[in-house]
Amino acid sequence: METRLWAPVRPAEPLGPWSWLVAGALAVVLMAVNIPVAAEIYEVPLVVAFGAGIAQGVALPLTLWWPVQATAVQFAGVTALAVMLSFDAGPTWPLTIPGLIALIAHVALVGLFHEWRAAATAWWASVLLCVLLVVLDLRAGHTFAEAEPLLVIYATNSALITLGAIAFRQRAVIRRQLVDARRDVALEQAQRAVVEERTRIARELHDVVAHSMSVIHMQATSAAYRIKNIDDESRDEFAQIAAGARGALREMRQLLAVLRDEDAAVDLRPVPGLDRLDELAESVRRGGVPVDLWVSDAVRATTVSDAIALAAYRIVQESLSNVVRHAAGAPTVVRVDLEPGDVLAVVVTNDAPTGPTGPPEDVGRVGHGLHGMRERVRLVGGTLETAPLADGGYRVAARLPIRWDQAADGSNG
């Protein structure tokens, strides 16, 4: 129990430098005023005025981390001044005016940096302290009516200021909670976008792999008729290959049924590749965005796996969609080239937007922005670089291993 009592209490809000600066400045100002005023005007002995003034001042910065102990120090200073006040202290009896301000500031700081329950407790305790000081000092010849102005002034002003401090802190708490909520929502949306993009990639790769498996099945089934003088052992081997291909296709159809989005329309078009980039660029041009597409002869002469071609197409599609949405009318250059090491380089660069334009006629189904592009590139073992340009444009650069087996090796590594 003793350890918990004297342990610091973490404020409801993180403390910044301004917190210590405000509390420290209040402490210095109140000590500089409270001590001479108590000694000269209220005729409090200098030693008591000095000690009580320091106690009330030091209690203010202590409130930030030790509210219970700081309140005890503050009440000790108030009590010392009240006991040593002269008989004709005036309408602020049993407190001095600087002491009254220090006590109000103390309760306000509790409400500003700690939970409202702590502030309410400190306020009630301070009001009870003032009442007790009045009651205990009635034997000195004072009457309760003499203390009524002080009690009313302190109770009303301290209550209003404390409520204001609590409201200010609650506003800061709500603002921080909203920021945290927005961050959590953004993170959840990013994670959901990645999951949805993975599902979409899986559906598209099903079409790519299913086509290859269908070719294998067809070749294995027709081998007995195409190859002359085939022996029975080879015939059985081809039959087993065909049976394995049929089983794999059946399992892939079941997997596709799980991945299919029931709300989305079934897309019966072939899986797009590099051969459809011209069509994609033309659709964006009709939407008011000038697109310059350049595909090198080395790329056109090279056999690119369907998975890599699909990833390259989707990256260009998503990049052009981003240009339409965020850089209307910006001239855009799409370059697809073959780099050393059999790496397909896809670079989309746009200038700063020139003005609003209408949407393209048919950009096609798009993914989830940069999150979707990064996921596609990661799954095929490539790299993606995105960055704004100094002139207000944007650049997307993807490098993809040109063979699917190389992409798989890169992913596993």
Side-chain angles (χ1 to χ4, degrees):
M1 292 297 294
E2 184 178 355
T3 303
R4 293 182 58 188
L5 177 62
W6 293 102
V9 178
R10 184 173 297 276
E13 287 295 306
L15 295 178
W18 68 271
S19 306
W20 299 101
L21 182 61
V22 171
L26 278 175
V28 172
V29 171
L30 288 174
M31 281 191 295
V33 175
N34 199 6
I35 295 173
V37 169
E40 295 295 331
I41 298 179
Y42 292 91
E43 300 179 1
V44 176
L46 182 59
V47 175
V48 177
F50 191 81
I54 291 179
Q56 284 195 281
V58 170
L60 297 181
L62 288 180
T63 305
L64 302 185
W65 275 94
W66 288 273
V68 177
Q69 295 83 347
T71 302
V73 174
Q74 182 71 234
F75 286 2
V78 172
T79 303
L81 286 178
V83 171
M84 301 305 296
L85 279 178
S86 63
F87 184 80
D88 55 346
T92 61
W93 172 79
L95 296 178
T96 65
I97 293 178
L100 176 66
I101 296 174
L103 187 57
I104 293 176
H106 177 88
V107 179
L109 286 177
V110 175
L112 193 61
F113 293 102
H114 299 282
E115 296 293 337
W116 67 269
R117 296 180 183 85
T121 302
W123 181 82
W124 276 111
S126 64
V127 173
L128 180 60
L129 175 66
C130 292
V131 173
L132 288 176
L133 291 176
V134 171
V135 172
L136 294 176
D137 204 27
L138 291 178
R139 295 172 298 177
H142 291 286
T143 62
F144 194 82
E146 294 180 81
E148 286 182 357
L150 168 75
L151 296 178
V152 172
I153 292 174
Y154 174 74
T156 55
N157 285 275
S158 62
L160 292 176
I161 293 176
T162 303
L163 287 175
I166 293 175
F168 182 83
R169 189 190 66 81
Q170 287 298 115
R171 178 174 175 269
V173 170
I174 293 173
R175 180 182 298 177
R176 178 174 57 84
Q177 291 175 346
L178 288 176
V179 171
D180 294 340
R182 291 192 187 100
R183 184 180 65 251
D184 294 340
V185 169
L187 180 60
E188 181 181 356
Q189 289 177 346
Q191 293 174 345
R192 183 185 303 172
V194 171
V195 172
E196 292 177 357
E197 189 68 13
R198 287 178 179 176
T199 303
R200 180 184 171 200
I201 294 171
R203 291 197 302 266
E204 293 175 343
L205 288 181
H206 163 271
D207 297 337
V208 173
V209 179
H211 172 72
S212 300
M213 294 300 296
S214 299
V215 173
I216 294 174
H217 175 264
M218 180 187 64
Q219 291 177 339
T221 302
S222 63
Y225 306 96
R226 293 184 293 101
I227 302 176
K228 297 181 179 179
N229 302 323
I230 187 172
D231 56 86
D232 293 337
E233 184 177 356
S234 298
R235 190 187 306 273
D236 293 340
E237 185 72 19
F238 282 119
Q240 292 177 6
I241 294 174
R246 284 195 301 272
L249 285 173
R250 182 171 57 254
E251 293 175 357
M252 290 180 62
R253 291 191 190 98
Q254 294 174 353
L255 175 62
L256 182 62
V258 175
L259 297 176
R260 182 179 293 116
D261 186 359
E262 296 180 356
D263 297 331
V266 178
D267 190 357
L268 300 179
R269 294 177 299 178
V271 176
L274 297 177
D275 56 334
R276 292 184 58 186
L277 288 178
D278 292 323
E279 176 186 345
L280 176 62
E282 182 59 30
S283 69
V284 177
R285 293 190 191 103
R286 289 195 296 267
V289 177
V291 178
D292 182 11
L293 174 64
W294 183 84
V295 181
S296 68
D297 295 336
V299 173
R300 298 184 186 276
T302 302
T303 302
V304 181
S305 65
D306 293 338
I308 300 300
L310 172 61
Y313 178 88
R314 292 302 187 199
I315 290 171
V316 174
Q317 182 185 34
E318 187 65 38
S319 299
L320 293 178
S321 299
N322 288 337
V323 173
V324 172
R325 289 193 296 264
H326 306 297
T332 305
V333 177
V334 179
R335 296 179 62 88
V336 183
D337 198 0
L338 192 62
E339 293 184 348
D342 285 341
V343 174
L344 185 68
V346 180
V347 181
V348 181
T349 306
N350 64 271
D351 296 340
T354 59
T357 61
E361 294 183 7
D362 182 19
V363 179
R365 183 180 56 183
V366 297
H368 297 88
L370 295 180
H371 295 293
M373 284 192 283
R374 289 194 178 95
E375 188 63 19
R376 284 188 177 275
V377 171
R378 187 189 69 83
L379 290 178
V380 297
T383 60
L384 179 69
E385 297 177 359
T386 60
L389 301 178
D391 60 356
Y394 205 82
R395 180 176 183 270
V396 176
R399 287 171 173 79
L400 313 173
I402 204 169
R403 307 296 179 191
W404 174 248
D405 54 350
Q406 293 176 356
D409 293 340
S411 299
N412 296 336

